Amino acid sequence: MKTISSVVEHYIKTKPFLLSALSQGIINLTSLARNMMPELEQELGKDIKQGAVVMSLKRLSEDLDFRLNHKIVKVLKAIGEITVRSSLTDYTFAVSDTLLNKHAELITTINANPEIFYTSSRGVNEANIVVSSSISHIVDRLFADEKMIERTDNLASITVKLPKDNISTPGVYYYIFQRLAWEGIIINEVISTSYEFTILVSEDEVDLAFKVIKDLKNLQ
């Protein structure tokens, strides 16, 4: 049986930015309840009182505040080293039978130079390579026969080390990427391991993106 509390929670959880703002206590609950009521009444099939919606929102915001402050914030405050690299080029190729061999050739070619940035990931239909722009000519040569789907230059990477608690705490990545989205930062790629993730952004936005992530360590 649907209740006011259950439909209010469902409404809020389907709107991520509203969810976060509610958890931070920066929304007028009475105004929000007034805007929600037509949709909630349609969902429940009956008239409801605004005060009941406000009370449900208050209880939900207190619960969200606990979950954020005592779990996610603990992880974010323990963020480790943040490393920035600039002058990168991002390639996306269609997966093929020969693509792995080209990867192997590229790694062999650049292996002797530890200063070169290289990372890659592979999906079902596409594979991604990110390298220092200084060796983009090598990638162009080695992968000349592969189907290139996308190439983006003038990128920078931000690599973040996360504490081990991150893999058992829901919402960590959501909270980080939400903050970046709020600042209008476009993320070109995301590459992650268990305790580390790297984002690629335009060089024009890397300073702001770095500040957003660094400021997460000072959450209260």
Side-chain angles (χ1 to χ4, degrees), residues 6-87:
S6 66
V7 295
V8 166
E9 183 170 354
H10 177 72
Y11 179 98
I12 296 298
K13 286 184 175 179
T14 58
K15 297 171 174 57
F17 289 103
L18 185 58
L19 180 67
S20 180
L22 184 65
S23 71
Q24 296 177 58
I26 59 177
I27 290 182
N28 183 300
L29 298 184
T30 301
S31 297
L32 176 59
R34 189 183 307 116
N35 290 331
M36 292 171 59
M37 284 182 63
E39 187 171 329
L40 298 182
E41 288 178 337
Q42 183 178 9
E43 180 75 15
L44 288 168
K46 63 180 181 180
D47 293 337
I48 57 177
K49 293 182 178 180
Q50 182 173 305
V53 178
V54 172
M55 287 303 299
S56 294
L57 286 170
K58 188 174 186 301
R59 284 194 296 268
L60 181 59
S61 64
E62 290 171 349
D63 180 50
L64 289 169
D65 182 64
F66 174 84
R67 278 185 268 167
L68 282 175
N69 286 330
H70 294 268
K71 293 183 179 180
I72 296 177
V73 172
K74 179 183 177 182
V75 172
L76 295 176
K77 290 174 75 70
I79 283 176
E81 181 182 11
I82 304 173
T83 306
V84 178
R85 296 287 296 263
S86 59
S87 300

Coordinates of all heavy atoms in Angstrom, one line a residue, residues 6-87:
S6 N 6.1 7.1 1.4 CA 6.8 6.3 0.4 C 6.8 7.1 -1.0 O 7.8 7.0 -1.7 CB 6.1 4.9 0.2 OG 4.8 5.1 -0.2
V7 N 5.7 7.7 -1.3 CA 5.6 8.4 -2.6 C 6.5 9.7 -2.5 O 7.1 10.1 -3.5 CB 4.2 8.8 -3.0 CG1 3.4 7.5 -3.3 CG2 3.5 9.7 -2.0
V8 N 6.6 10.3 -1.3 CA 7.5 11.5 -1.2 C 8.9 11.0 -1.4 O 9.7 11.7 -2.1 CB 7.3 12.1 0.2 CG1 8.5 13.1 0.5 CG2 6.0 12.9 0.3
E9 N 9.3 9.9 -0.8 CA 10.7 9.4 -0.9 C 11.0 9.1 -2.4 O 12.1 9.4 -2.9 CB 10.9 8.2 0.0 CG 12.4 7.7 -0.1 CD 12.7 6.7 1.0 OE1 11.8 6.5 1.8 OE2 13.8 6.1 1.0
H10 N 10.1 8.4 -3.1 CA 10.3 8.1 -4.5 C 10.4 9.3 -5.3 O 11.3 9.4 -6.2 CB 9.1 7.2 -5.0 CG 9.2 6.9 -6.4 ND1 10.1 5.9 -6.9 CD2 8.5 7.3 -7.5 CE1 10.0 5.8 -8.2 NE2 9.0 6.7 -8.6
Y11 N 9.6 10.3 -5.1 CA 9.6 11.6 -5.8 C 11.0 12.2 -5.7 O 11.6 12.6 -6.7 CB 8.6 12.5 -5.3 CG 8.5 13.9 -6.0 CD1 7.6 14.1 -7.0 CD2 9.4 14.9 -5.6 CE1 7.5 15.3 -7.6 CE2 9.3 16.1 -6.2 CZ 8.4 16.4 -7.2 OH 8.4 17.6 -7.9
I12 N 11.5 12.3 -4.5 CA 12.8 12.9 -4.2 C 14.0 12.1 -4.8 O 14.9 12.7 -5.4 CB 13.0 13.1 -2.7 CG1 12.0 14.1 -2.1 CG2 14.4 13.6 -2.4 CD1 12.0 15.5 -2.7
K13 N 13.9 10.8 -4.7 CA 15.0 10.0 -5.2 C 15.1 9.9 -6.7 O 16.2 9.6 -7.2 CB 14.9 8.6 -4.6 CG 15.2 8.5 -3.1 CD 15.2 7.0 -2.6 CE 15.7 6.9 -1.2 NZ 15.6 5.6 -0.7
T14 N 14.1 10.3 -7.4 CA 14.1 10.4 -8.9 C 14.7 11.7 -9.4 O 14.8 11.9 -10.6 CB 12.8 10.1 -9.5 OG1 11.8 11.1 -9.0 CG2 12.3 8.7 -9.2
K15 N 15.0 12.6 -8.4 CA 15.5 13.9 -8.8 C 16.8 14.2 -8.0 O 16.8 14.7 -6.9 CB 14.5 15.0 -8.5 CG 13.2 14.8 -9.3 CD 12.1 15.7 -8.9 CE 10.9 15.6 -9.9 NZ 10.4 14.2 -10.0
P16 N 18.0 13.7 -8.6 CA 19.3 13.7 -7.9 C 19.7 15.0 -7.3 O 20.1 15.1 -6.1 CB 20.3 13.2 -8.9 CG 19.4 12.4 -9.8 CD 18.1 13.1 -9.9
F17 N 19.5 16.1 -8.1 CA 20.0 17.4 -7.5 C 19.1 17.9 -6.4 O 19.6 18.5 -5.4 CB 20.0 18.4 -8.7 CG 21.1 18.2 -9.7 CD1 20.8 17.6 -10.9 CD2 22.4 18.5 -9.4 CE1 21.8 17.4 -11.8 CE2 23.4 18.3 -10.3 CZ 23.1 17.7 -11.5
L18 N 17.8 17.6 -6.5 CA 16.9 17.9 -5.4 C 17.2 17.1 -4.2 O 17.1 17.6 -3.1 CB 15.4 17.7 -5.9 CG 14.3 18.0 -4.9 CD1 14.4 19.5 -4.6 CD2 13.0 17.7 -5.6
L19 N 17.6 15.9 -4.4 CA 18.0 15.0 -3.3 C 19.1 15.6 -2.5 O 19.1 15.6 -1.3 CB 18.3 13.6 -3.8 CG 18.7 12.5 -2.9 CD1 17.6 12.1 -2.0 CD2 19.2 11.3 -3.6
S20 N 20.1 16.0 -3.2 CA 21.3 16.6 -2.5 C 21.0 17.9 -1.8 O 21.4 18.1 -0.7 CB 22.4 16.8 -3.5 OG 23.6 17.3 -2.9
A21 N 20.2 18.7 -2.5 CA 19.9 20.0 -1.9 C 19.0 19.8 -0.6 O 19.2 20.5 0.4 CB 19.1 20.9 -2.9
L22 N 18.2 18.8 -0.6 CA 17.4 18.5 0.5 C 18.2 18.0 1.7 O 18.0 18.4 2.8 CB 16.3 17.4 0.2 CG 15.3 17.1 1.3 CD1 14.4 18.2 1.6 CD2 14.5 15.9 0.8
S23 N 19.2 17.2 1.4 CA 20.1 16.7 2.4 C 20.9 17.8 3.1 O 21.3 17.6 4.2 CB 21.0 15.6 1.8 OG 22.0 16.2 1.0
Q24 N 21.2 18.9 2.3 CA 22.0 20.0 2.8 C 21.1 21.0 3.5 O 21.6 22.0 4.1 CB 22.8 20.6 1.7 CG 23.8 19.7 1.1 CD 24.5 20.3 -0.1 OE1 25.1 21.4 0.1 NE2 24.4 19.7 -1.2
G25 N 19.8 20.8 3.5 CA 18.9 21.7 4.2 C 18.8 23.1 3.6 O 18.6 24.1 4.3
I26 N 18.9 23.2 2.3 CA 18.9 24.5 1.6 C 17.6 24.7 0.9 O 17.5 25.6 0.0 CB 20.1 24.7 0.7 CG1 20.1 23.6 -0.3 CG2 21.4 24.7 1.5 CD1 21.3 23.8 -1.3
I27 N 16.6 23.9 1.1 CA 15.3 24.0 0.4 C 14.2 24.4 1.4 O 14.1 23.8 2.5 CB 15.0 22.7 -0.3 CG1 15.9 22.5 -1.5 CG2 13.5 22.7 -0.8 CD1 15.6 21.2 -2.3
N28 N 13.3 25.3 1.0 CA 12.1 25.6 1.8 C 11.2 24.4 1.7 O 10.6 24.2 0.6 CB 11.5 26.9 1.3 CG 10.3 27.3 2.2 OD1 9.3 26.6 2.2 ND2 10.4 28.5 2.8
L29 N 10.9 23.7 2.7 CA 10.1 22.5 2.6 C 8.7 22.8 2.3 O 8.0 22.0 1.6 CB 10.2 21.7 4.0 CG 11.6 21.2 4.3 CD1 11.5 20.3 5.6 CD2 12.3 20.4 3.2
T30 N 8.2 23.9 2.8 CA 6.8 24.2 2.6 C 6.5 24.5 1.1 O 5.6 24.0 0.5 CB 6.3 25.5 3.4 OG1 6.5 25.2 4.8 CG2 4.9 25.8 3.1
S31 N 7.5 25.3 0.5 CA 7.3 25.6 -1.0 C 7.5 24.3 -1.8 O 6.8 24.1 -2.8 CB 8.4 26.6 -1.4 OG 8.2 27.8 -0.7
L32 N 8.4 23.5 -1.4 CA 8.7 22.2 -2.1 C 7.4 21.3 -2.0 O 7.0 20.8 -3.0 CB 9.9 21.5 -1.6 CG 10.2 20.1 -2.2 CD1 10.4 20.2 -3.7 CD2 11.4 19.5 -1.5
A33 N 6.9 21.2 -0.9 CA 5.7 20.4 -0.7 C 4.5 20.9 -1.5 O 3.8 20.1 -2.2 CB 5.2 20.4 0.8
R34 N 4.4 22.2 -1.6 CA 3.3 22.8 -2.4 C 3.5 22.4 -3.9 O 2.5 22.1 -4.6 CB 3.3 24.3 -2.3 CG 2.1 25.0 -2.9 CD 2.2 26.5 -2.8 NE 2.4 26.9 -1.4 CZ 3.5 27.5 -1.0 NH1 4.5 27.8 -1.8 NH2 3.6 27.9 0.3
N35 N 4.7 22.4 -4.4 CA 5.0 22.1 -5.8 C 4.8 20.6 -6.1 O 4.4 20.2 -7.2 CB 6.4 22.5 -6.2 CG 6.6 24.0 -6.3 OD1 5.6 24.7 -6.6 ND2 7.8 24.5 -6.0
M36 N 5.0 19.8 -5.0 CA 5.0 18.3 -5.2 C 3.5 17.8 -5.2 O 3.2 16.8 -5.7 CB 5.8 17.6 -4.1 CG 7.3 17.8 -4.2 SD 8.1 17.2 -2.7 CE 7.6 15.5 -2.7
M37 N 2.7 18.5 -4.5 CA 1.4 17.9 -4.1 C 0.5 17.4 -5.3 O -0.1 16.4 -5.3 CB 0.6 18.9 -3.3 CG 1.0 18.9 -1.8 SD 0.1 20.0 -0.8 CE -1.5 19.3 -0.8
P38 N 0.4 18.2 -6.4 CA -0.4 17.7 -7.6 C 0.1 16.3 -8.0 O -0.8 15.4 -8.3 CB -0.2 18.8 -8.6 CG 0.1 20.0 -7.9 CD 0.9 19.6 -6.7
E39 N 1.4 16.1 -8.1 CA 1.9 14.8 -8.6 C 1.7 13.7 -7.6 O 1.4 12.6 -7.9 CB 3.4 14.9 -8.9 CG 4.0 13.7 -9.6 CD 5.4 13.9 -10.1 OE1 5.7 15.0 -10.5 OE2 6.2 12.9 -10.1
L40 N 1.9 14.1 -6.3 CA 1.7 13.1 -5.2 C 0.2 12.7 -5.1 O -0.1 11.5 -4.9 CB 2.1 13.7 -3.9 CG 3.6 14.0 -3.8 CD1 4.0 14.6 -2.4 CD2 4.5 12.9 -4.1
E41 N -0.7 13.6 -5.2 CA -2.1 13.3 -5.2 C -2.6 12.4 -6.3 O -3.4 11.5 -6.2 CB -3.0 14.6 -5.1 CG -2.8 15.4 -3.8 CD -3.6 16.7 -3.8 OE1 -3.9 17.2 -4.9 OE2 -3.9 17.2 -2.7
Q42 N -2.0 12.7 -7.5 CA -2.3 11.8 -8.6 C -1.7 10.4 -8.4 O -2.4 9.4 -8.8 CB -1.6 12.4 -9.9 CG -2.0 11.6 -11.2 CD -1.4 12.3 -12.4 OE1 -0.6 13.2 -12.3 NE2 -1.7 11.8 -13.6
E43 N -0.6 10.3 -7.8 CA 0.0 9.0 -7.5 C -0.8 8.2 -6.5 O -1.0 7.0 -6.6 CB 1.5 9.2 -7.0 CG 2.2 7.9 -6.7 CD 2.7 7.2 -7.9 OE1 2.7 7.8 -9.0 OE2 3.0 6.0 -7.7
L44 N -1.3 8.9 -5.5 CA -2.0 8.3 -4.4 C -3.5 8.1 -4.7 O -4.2 7.3 -4.1 CB -1.9 9.1 -3.1 CG -0.5 9.0 -2.4 CD1 -0.4 10.0 -1.3 CD2 -0.3 7.6 -1.8
G45 N -4.0 8.9 -5.7 CA -5.4 8.9 -6.0 C -6.3 9.5 -5.0 O -7.5 9.1 -4.9
K46 N -5.8 10.5 -4.2 CA -6.7 11.1 -3.2 C -6.0 12.4 -2.8 O -4.8 12.7 -3.1 CB -6.8 10.2 -2.0 CG -5.5 9.9 -1.3 CD -5.8 9.1 0.0 CE -4.5 8.8 0.7 NZ -4.7 7.9 1.9
D47 N -6.8 13.3 -2.2 CA -6.3 14.6 -1.7 C -5.4 14.3 -0.4 O -5.7 13.4 0.4 CB -7.4 15.5 -1.3 CG -8.3 15.9 -2.5 OD1 -7.7 15.9 -3.6 OD2 -9.4 16.3 -2.3
I48 N -4.4 15.1 -0.3 CA -3.5 15.0 0.8 C -3.3 16.4 1.4 O -3.4 17.4 0.7 CB -2.1 14.3 0.5 CG1 -1.4 15.1 -0.6 CG2 -2.3 12.9 0.1 CD1 -0.1 14.5 -1.0
K49 N -2.8 16.4 2.7 CA -2.6 17.7 3.3 C -1.1 18.1 3.2 O -0.2 17.3 3.2 CB -2.9 17.6 4.8 CG -4.4 17.4 5.1 CD -4.7 17.4 6.6 CE -6.2 17.2 6.9 NZ -6.5 17.2 8.3
Q50 N -0.9 19.4 2.9 CA 0.4 19.9 2.7 C 1.3 19.6 3.9 O 2.5 19.3 3.8 CB 0.3 21.4 2.4 CG 1.7 22.0 2.2 CD 1.6 23.5 1.7 OE1 0.9 23.8 0.8 NE2 2.3 24.4 2.5
G51 N 0.7 19.7 5.1 CA 1.5 19.5 6.3 C 2.1 18.1 6.4 O 3.2 17.9 6.9
A52 N 1.3 17.1 5.9 CA 1.8 15.7 5.9 C 3.0 15.6 5.0 O 3.9 14.8 5.3 CB 0.6 14.8 5.5
V53 N 2.9 16.3 3.9 CA 4.1 16.2 2.9 C 5.3 16.9 3.5 O 6.4 16.4 3.4 CB 3.7 16.9 1.6 CG1 4.9 16.9 0.6 CG2 2.5 16.2 0.9
V54 N 5.1 18.0 4.2 CA 6.2 18.7 4.8 C 6.9 17.8 5.9 O 8.1 17.7 6.0 CB 5.7 20.0 5.5 CG1 6.9 20.6 6.3 CG2 5.3 21.0 4.4
M55 N 6.1 17.1 6.7 CA 6.6 16.2 7.7 C 7.4 15.1 7.1 O 8.5 14.7 7.6 CB 5.5 15.7 8.6 CG 4.9 16.7 9.5 SD 6.1 17.4 10.6 CE 6.7 16.0 11.5
S56 N 6.9 14.5 6.0 CA 7.6 13.5 5.3 C 8.9 14.0 4.8 O 10.0 13.3 4.9 CB 6.8 12.9 4.2 OG 5.6 12.2 4.7
L57 N 8.9 15.2 4.2 CA 10.2 15.8 3.7 C 11.2 16.0 4.9 O 12.4 15.8 4.7 CB 9.9 17.1 3.0 CG 9.2 17.0 1.6 CD1 8.8 18.3 1.2 CD2 10.2 16.3 0.6
K58 N 10.7 16.4 6.0 CA 11.6 16.7 7.1 C 12.2 15.4 7.6 O 13.4 15.4 7.9 CB 10.8 17.3 8.3 CG 11.6 17.8 9.4 CD 10.8 18.6 10.4 CE 11.6 19.2 11.5 NZ 12.4 18.2 12.3
R59 N 11.4 14.4 7.8 CA 12.0 13.1 8.2 C 13.0 12.6 7.2 O 14.1 12.0 7.5 CB 10.9 12.0 8.4 CG 10.0 12.3 9.7 CD 9.2 11.0 10.0 NE 8.2 10.8 8.9 CZ 7.0 11.3 9.0 NH1 6.6 12.1 10.0 NH2 6.1 11.1 8.0
L60 N 12.7 12.7 5.9 CA 13.6 12.2 4.8 C 14.9 13.0 4.8 O 16.0 12.4 4.7 CB 12.9 12.3 3.5 CG 13.7 11.9 2.3 CD1 14.1 10.4 2.4 CD2 12.9 12.1 1.0
S61 N 14.8 14.3 5.0 CA 16.0 15.2 5.0 C 16.9 14.8 6.1 O 18.1 14.8 6.0 CB 15.6 16.7 5.0 OG 14.9 17.0 6.2
E62 N 16.3 14.5 7.3 CA 17.1 14.2 8.5 C 17.8 12.8 8.2 O 19.0 12.7 8.6 CB 16.2 14.1 9.7 CG 15.7 15.4 10.2 CD 14.7 15.3 11.3 OE1 14.2 14.2 11.5 OE2 14.3 16.4 11.9
D63 N 17.1 11.9 7.6 CA 17.7 10.6 7.3 C 18.9 10.7 6.3 O 19.9 10.2 6.4 CB 16.7 9.6 6.8 CG 17.2 8.3 6.4 OD1 17.9 7.7 7.3 OD2 17.0 7.8 5.3
L64 N 18.6 11.6 5.2 CA 19.6 11.8 4.2 C 20.9 12.5 4.8 O 22.0 12.2 4.5 CB 19.1 12.6 3.1 CG 18.0 12.0 2.2 CD1 17.4 13.0 1.3 CD2 18.7 10.9 1.3
D65 N 20.6 13.4 5.7 CA 21.7 14.1 6.3 C 22.6 13.2 7.1 O 23.8 13.3 7.1 CB 21.2 15.2 7.3 CG 22.3 16.0 7.9 OD1 23.0 16.7 7.2 OD2 22.4 15.9 9.2
F66 N 22.0 12.2 7.8 CA 22.8 11.2 8.6 C 23.6 10.4 7.6 O 24.8 10.2 7.8 CB 21.8 10.3 9.4 CG 22.6 9.2 10.0 CD1 23.2 9.4 11.2 CD2 22.6 7.9 9.4 CE1 23.9 8.3 11.9 CE2 23.3 6.9 10.0 CZ 23.9 7.1 11.3
R67 N 23.0 9.9 6.5 CA 23.7 9.0 5.6 C 24.9 9.8 4.9 O 25.9 9.2 4.8 CB 22.7 8.5 4.5 CG 21.9 7.3 5.0 CD 21.1 6.8 3.9 NE 19.8 7.4 3.9 CZ 18.9 7.2 2.8 NH1 19.3 6.6 1.8 NH2 17.7 7.8 2.9
L68 N 24.7 11.0 4.6 CA 25.8 11.8 3.9 C 26.9 12.1 4.9 O 28.0 11.8 4.7 CB 25.2 13.1 3.3 CG 24.5 12.9 2.0 CD1 23.9 14.3 1.6 CD2 25.4 12.4 0.9
N69 N 26.5 12.6 6.0 CA 27.5 13.1 7.0 C 28.3 12.0 7.6 O 29.4 12.2 8.0 CB 26.8 14.0 8.0 CG 26.4 15.4 7.5 OD1 27.1 15.9 6.6 ND2 25.4 15.9 8.1
H70 N 27.7 10.9 7.8 CA 28.4 9.8 8.6 C 29.0 8.7 7.7 O 29.7 7.9 8.2 CB 27.4 9.2 9.6 CG 27.0 10.2 10.6 ND1 27.6 10.3 11.8 CD2 26.0 11.1 10.7 CE1 27.0 11.3 12.6 NE2 26.0 11.7 11.9
K71 N 28.7 8.7 6.4 CA 29.3 7.7 5.6 C 30.1 8.3 4.4 O 31.3 8.2 4.4 CB 28.2 6.8 5.0 CG 27.5 6.0 6.1 CD 26.4 5.1 5.5 CE 25.8 4.2 6.6 NZ 24.7 3.3 6.0
I72 N 29.4 9.0 3.5 CA 30.1 9.6 2.4 C 31.1 10.6 2.8 O 32.2 10.6 2.3 CB 29.0 10.2 1.4 CG1 28.1 9.1 0.8 CG2 29.8 10.9 0.3 CD1 27.0 9.6 -0.1
V73 N 30.7 11.5 3.7 CA 31.7 12.6 4.1 C 32.9 12.0 4.7 O 34.0 12.5 4.5 CB 31.0 13.6 5.0 CG1 32.0 14.5 5.6 CG2 29.9 14.3 4.3
K74 N 32.8 10.9 5.5 CA 33.9 10.3 6.0 C 34.9 9.8 5.0 O 36.1 10.0 5.1 CB 33.5 9.1 6.9 CG 34.6 8.3 7.5 CD 34.1 7.1 8.3 CE 35.2 6.3 8.9 NZ 34.8 5.1 9.6
V75 N 34.4 9.2 3.9 CA 35.2 8.8 2.8 C 35.9 10.0 2.1 O 37.1 10.0 1.8 CB 34.4 7.9 1.8 CG1 35.2 7.6 0.6 CG2 33.9 6.6 2.4
L76 N 35.1 11.0 1.8 CA 35.6 12.1 1.0 C 36.7 12.9 1.8 O 37.6 13.4 1.2 CB 34.4 13.0 0.7 CG 33.4 12.5 -0.3 CD1 32.2 13.4 -0.5 CD2 34.0 12.1 -1.6
K77 N 36.5 13.0 3.1 CA 37.5 13.7 3.9 C 38.8 12.9 3.9 O 39.9 13.4 4.2 CB 37.0 13.9 5.3 CG 35.9 14.9 5.4 CD 35.3 15.0 6.8 CE 36.2 15.7 7.8 NZ 36.3 17.2 7.5
A78 N 38.8 11.6 3.6 CA 40.0 10.8 3.6 C 40.6 10.6 2.2 O 41.4 9.8 1.9 CB 39.7 9.4 4.1
I79 N 40.1 11.4 1.2 CA 40.7 11.4 -0.1 C 42.2 11.6 0.0 O 42.7 12.5 0.7 CB 40.1 12.5 -1.0 CG1 38.7 12.1 -1.5 CG2 40.9 12.8 -2.3 CD1 37.9 13.1 -2.3
G80 N 42.9 10.8 -0.8 CA 44.4 10.9 -0.8 C 45.0 11.8 -1.8 O 44.4 12.9 -2.1
E81 N 46.1 11.4 -2.4 CA 46.8 12.2 -3.4 C 45.9 12.5 -4.6 O 45.2 11.7 -5.1 CB 48.0 11.5 -3.8 CG 48.9 12.2 -4.8 CD 50.1 11.4 -5.2 OE1 50.1 10.2 -4.9 OE2 51.0 11.9 -5.9
I82 N 46.0 13.8 -5.0 CA 45.3 14.2 -6.3 C 46.4 14.6 -7.3 O 47.2 15.5 -7.0 CB 44.4 15.4 -6.0 CG1 43.4 15.0 -4.9 CG2 43.6 15.8 -7.3 CD1 42.5 16.2 -4.5
T83 N 46.5 13.9 -8.4 CA 47.5 14.2 -9.4 C 46.9 14.7 -10.7 O 45.9 14.2 -11.2 CB 48.3 12.9 -9.7 OG1 48.7 12.3 -8.5 CG2 49.4 13.2 -10.6
V84 N 47.5 15.8 -11.2 CA 47.0 16.5 -12.4 C 48.1 16.3 -13.5 O 49.3 16.5 -13.2 CB 46.7 18.0 -12.2 CG1 46.3 18.6 -13.4 CG2 45.7 18.1 -11.1
R85 N 47.6 15.9 -14.7 CA 48.5 15.9 -15.8 C 47.8 16.6 -17.0 O 46.6 16.5 -17.2 CB 48.7 14.4 -16.3 CG 49.5 13.5 -15.3 CD 50.9 13.9 -15.2 NE 51.6 13.7 -16.5 CZ 52.3 12.6 -16.8 NH1 52.4 11.6 -15.9 NH2 53.0 12.4 -17.9
S86 N 48.6 17.4 -17.7 CA 48.1 18.2 -18.8 C 48.6 17.7 -20.2 O 49.4 16.7 -20.2 CB 48.4 19.6 -18.7 OG 49.8 19.8 -18.6
S87 N 48.2 18.3 -21.2 CA 48.6 18.0 -22.6 C 48.4 16.5 -23.0 O 49.3 15.8 -23.3 CB 50.1 18.3 -22.8 OG 50.3 19.7 -22.6

